[in-house]
Amino acid sequence: MSLSANIEQNETQLSGNWFESEYRQGGKISGTNSDGLIEARIEGETVAALVTIRTKGDHQSFVMEAPGSWLSQVTIELNKDAK
């Protein structure tokens, strides 16, 4: 999967477009970004998903939920080690 996006932020509002080159799919992104929390809706002709990204200190989580799709949920947890 090769995913790219162009996203603009106006105050807390997000908007933009995405494109996945391997499957040649694309669409729109809309959502909000406030206090370390991004909540976005990703839509295309054949897919719709909700994305939540939380950042706090040395921890970041990414959750994508796309009910009914071939990959219905992805969760990634990242932690930065103390030096």
Side-chain angles (χ1 to χ4, degrees):
M1 183 178 267
S2 180
L3 185 63
S4 63
N6 291 314
I7 301 171
E8 294 185 11
Q9 182 170 335
N10 183 2
E11 296 186 12
T12 62
Q13 297 299 307
L14 302 173
S15 62
N17 299 296
W18 65 273
F19 183 74
E20 198 291 315
S21 59
E22 186 174 329
Y23 294 96
R24 308 211 40 87
Q25 297 287 315
K28 298 187 182 287
I29 299 171
S30 61
T32 59
N33 179 10
S34 181
D35 297 322
L37 175 63
I38 297 172
E39 295 178 303
R41 179 168 177 81
I42 299 169
E43 296 179 282
E45 276 189 42
T46 61
V47 66
L50 299 175
V51 172
T52 303
I53 302 170
R54 285 188 173 88
T55 303
K56 186 172 183 180
D58 60 358
H59 180 80
Q60 187 173 59
S61 65
F62 170 93
V63 177
M64 182 183 77
E65 297 173 308
S69 73
W70 63 274
L71 184 60
S72 62
Q73 184 171 6
V74 174
T75 301
I76 300 171
E77 299 284 335
L78 302 169
N79 292 297
K80 182 176 180 183
D81 289 336
K83 290 185 177 186

